């Protein structure tokens, strides 16, 4: 009696299907991001950077951000990008955070990177670490904008004053030019209002 079993014709399709699935998984498998680093750590923000293995068909990234000893997670994901950095915002001061990074491809996500732990500074520590003579580029830009605004205001005020002075001088010249005419008119009016004299030099007298 023949033992039951699968024929070669039945086994071949299963074997080919298994090999095709294995090849697809091998092609789409991504390596975890490398050299994950936290930079530009501020009181309420930081920047995470990473690298990827050469040849990985990466189309995006996913970041998990978690406070140490707290289960709540923040998940950040972005696709259709080749960037290798991401800003972390709205952080709490003097707090430890754990960050993982994953690469994303058309076939799925990579394993998470090694966890990176960092702490945000206190506001007082950040201010104390900054020397009095240290000036950031942002502060330089703000100072330049303030100076430019002040110069514009000064120029506008000077132009207004120049216009007022020019108007005053013009009115003064008009008044000064009209003074001889006014004097002549006054003299003429006073002569017309005076007592008429006799043609021979005597005063006219009325006959009683």
């Amino acid at each position: 009696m023949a033992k039951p079993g699968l024929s070669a014709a039945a086994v071949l399709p299963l074997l080919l299907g298994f090999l095709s699935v294995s090849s697809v998984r091998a092609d789409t498998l991504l390596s975890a991001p490398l050299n994950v680093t936290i930079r530009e750590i501020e009181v309420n923000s930081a920047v995470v950077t990473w690298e990827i293995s050469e040849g990985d068909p990466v189309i995006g990234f996913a970041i998990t951000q978690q406070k140490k000893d707290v289960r709540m997670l923040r998940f950040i994901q972005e696709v259709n990008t080749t960037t290798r950095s991401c800003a972390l915002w709205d952080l709490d001061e003097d707090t430890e955070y754990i960050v993982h990074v994953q690469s994303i491809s058309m076939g799925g996500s990579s394993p998470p990177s090694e966890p990176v732990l960092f702490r945000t500074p206190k506001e007082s520590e950040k201010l104390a670490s900054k020397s009095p003579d240290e000036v950031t580029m942002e502060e330089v830009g703000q100072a330049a904008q303030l100076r430019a605004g002040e110069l514009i205001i000064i120029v506008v005020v000077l132009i207004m004053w120049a216009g007022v002075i020019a108007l005053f001088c013009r009115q003064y010249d008009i008044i000064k030019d009209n003074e001889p005419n006014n004097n002549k008119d006054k003299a003429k009016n006073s002569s017309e209002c005076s007592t008429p004299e006799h043609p021979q030099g005597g005063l006219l007298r009325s006959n009683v």
Side-chain angles (χ1 to χ4, degrees):
M1 181 176 180
K3 294 182 179 180
L6 294 176
S7 64
V11 172
L12 185 58
L14 294 177
L15 182 60
L16 292 176
F18 176 77
L19 292 176
S20 63
V21 171
S22 299
S23 62
V24 169
R25 288 181 178 176
D27 291 340
T28 58
L29 185 62
L30 296 176
S31 302
L34 307 172
N35 300 327
V36 180
T37 308
I38 307 297
R39 307 176 184 274
E40 302 177 22
I41 302 176
E42 302 291 341
V43 176
N44 303 116
S45 65
V47 176
V48 56
T49 62
W50 64 91
E51 298 175 0
I52 62 173
S53 299
E54 185 177 356
D56 281 354
V58 176
I59 63 169
F61 63 85
I63 295 175
T64 55
Q65 168 194 318
Q66 177 185 7
K67 291 183 180 180
K68 187 179 180 181
D69 303 326
V70 177
R71 292 186 177 181
M72 184 179 298
L73 293 175
R74 171 183 284 176
F75 186 72
I76 305 171
Q77 179 173 317
E78 187 173 346
V79 294
N80 296 328
T81 179
T82 58
T83 183
R84 301 292 179 261
S85 65
C86 179
L88 308 177
W89 67 95
D90 198 22
L91 306 180
D92 296 331
E93 65 174 317
D94 192 24
T95 304
E96 287 186 323
Y97 288 91
I98 300 174
V99 172
H100 295 84
V101 182
Q102 291 177 274
S103 296
I104 298 176
S105 70
M106 295 296 293
S109 301
S110 72
S113 65
E114 293 294 328
V116 178
L117 177 67
F118 71 98
R119 174 187 288 273
T120 55
K122 293 181 179 179
E123 182 72 28
S124 57
E125 293 175 354
K126 193 66 178 179
L127 294 176
S129 63
K130 185 177 179 180
S131 63
D133 297 333
E134 183 181 356
V135 179
T136 63
M137 294 302 296
E138 182 178 358
E139 292 173 345
V140 170
Q142 292 177 351
Q145 291 178 356
L146 289 175
R147 285 196 295 268
E150 292 173 354
L151 288 175
I152 292 174
I153 293 174
I154 292 173
V155 170
V156 171
V157 171
L158 290 176
I159 292 174
M160 292 177 63
W161 273 108
V164 171
I165 293 173
L167 182 61
F168 174 78
C169 293
R170 182 178 178 183
Q171 294 295 330
Y172 179 77
D173 291 339
I174 293 174
I175 295 172
K176 189 174 181 181
D177 292 340
N178 290 336
E179 282 184 355
N181 296 330
N182 292 335
N183 293 334
K184 292 178 180 179
D185 293 340
K186 289 180 181 179
K188 183 177 180 181
N189 292 334
S190 61
S191 63
E192 290 177 353
C193 296
S194 60
T195 304
E197 296 182 353
H198 192 272
Q200 296 180 354
L203 295 176
L204 294 176
R205 299 179 182 276
S206 60
N207 296 325
V208 181

